[in-house]
Amino acid sequence: MSGHSASSASSARADELDKFNRLADQWWDEEGPFGALHAVNPLRMEFIAEHAVIEDARVLDVGCGGGILSEALALAGAEVTALDLATDGLDAARHHAQAQDLAIDYRLADIIDFAAENPGKFDCITCMEMLEHVDEPARIVQALGTAVKPGGWVFLSTLNRNPKSWLLGIAAAEYLLKLVPPGTHEHKRFIKPSELTLMARRARLTPRALCGITYNPLTRHYALNPHDLDVNYLLACQKDE
């Protein structure tokens, strides 16, 4: 899976932005390189809805890419602001939202700067499949903690770092099953749940739930599994009051 974003002054990586810009015209091809994101998006929304009320909420989607999650949040009744640093992907997101008559505030902005300018503004923040693409994920999590209001929710997803996640998240997903383009991920950038929960706590975010996303190659079916965090996983956090 994939995501991106960060800051020109901090953890934005030019190679990552170039990679996602090259794929920008394929964001909404459900059989294309982002097909896995389309497939898991209902599961991400289900996990979010278990914890937070989305309807009429002010939601920030960080590392929004082509807007797959942003649109789902808007369709669920949220007032959505979405950030990314890949310009071509943002253009794709804007065009698709306009075609669906969805009012999403897409911005070419870095979350670190944006959070400093908008502290405590959002009821809910999502940052999915992005942290494994930046150099300083802890700084991103810190910024998310700044931008969410006290009592608000932050939802993160990334990949665990272990031999199984290399086998399934890279070798199988990128080369054998071709679920995502080759070169999408670097295993050394994967983040263990223990590391991510520590980043969250340091940002005054209290971890509330962890849940894995599993894939069955025989049925080509993704599922939420709170007992299997070995590869892809989600973390729900709540900002300290």
Side-chain angles (χ1 to χ4, degrees):
M1 296 188 212
S2 44
H4 34 64
S5 187
S7 166
S8 55
S10 61
S11 47
R13 296 174 53 210
D15 59 327
E16 289 289 327
L17 298 179
D18 289 344
K19 179 167 64 184
F20 286 104
N21 276 327
R22 286 196 300 273
L23 296 170
D25 62 342
Q26 300 178 69
W27 268 106
W28 288 93
D29 176 4
E30 295 189 18
E31 302 300 319
F34 300 109
L37 289 182
H38 286 277
V40 303
N41 205 49
L43 300 178
R44 302 193 297 192
M45 288 295 296
E46 179 183 337
F47 182 74
I48 292 167
E50 284 178 13
H51 302 282
V53 176
I54 295 301
E55 188 171 7
D56 297 324
R58 183 177 285 180
V59 178
L60 179 66
D61 185 20
V62 180
C64 63
I68 296 169
L69 181 59
S70 303
E71 289 202 6
L73 291 164
L75 287 167
E79 176 190 327
V80 181
T81 302
L83 313 182
D84 209 292
L85 288 173
T87 52
D88 294 350
L90 272 178
D91 286 343
R94 288 191 184 103
H95 291 147
H96 196 271
Q98 288 168 0
Q100 310 304 310
D101 200 26
L102 291 173
I104 298 171
D105 183 7
Y106 284 111
R107 300 193 192 186
L108 182 68
D110 154 41
I111 180 56
I112 293 173
D113 298 333
F114 183 86
E117 297 161 4
N118 296 274
K121 182 176 179 179
F122 295 92
D123 302 301
C124 176
I125 299 179
T126 59
C127 182
M128 303 289 192
E129 307 297 334
M130 174 187 136
L131 294 175
E132 69 273 17
H133 295 280
V134 301
D135 287 330
E136 299 178 272
R139 287 194 71 193
I140 303 297
V141 176
Q142 196 73 232
L144 303 178
T146 298
V148 71
K149 73 177 187 181
W153 288 87
V154 173
F155 296 94
L156 307 166
S157 73
T158 190
L159 290 99
N160 201 342
R161 189 177 70 258
N162 54 46
K164 182 178 175 181
S165 69
W166 178 86
L167 182 66
L168 298 182
I170 295 181
E174 296 187 11
Y175 297 97
L176 182 63
L177 302 175
K178 297 182 170 28
L179 300 175
V180 294
T184 295
H185 294 120
E186 293 179 62
H187 191 253
K188 68 179 182 180
R189 297 184 184 277
F190 290 3
I191 304 168
K192 294 180 180 181
S194 58
E195 296 167 342
L196 189 57
T197 54
L198 181 59
M199 291 179 200
R201 291 185 189 281
R202 287 176 172 167
R204 295 184 57 224
L205 298 168
T206 299
R208 299 294 188 196
L210 278 162
C211 187
I213 298 178
T214 58
Y215 179 71
N216 184 326
L218 298 179
T219 62
R220 298 186 179 182
H221 180 69
Y222 291 91
L224 292 175
N225 185 338
H227 307 295
D228 186 350
L229 308 178
D230 290 349
V231 188
N232 291 89
Y233 68 94
L234 296 146
L235 173 64
C237 307
Q238 198 167 18
K239 177 68 177 284
D240 296 348
E241 293 280 1

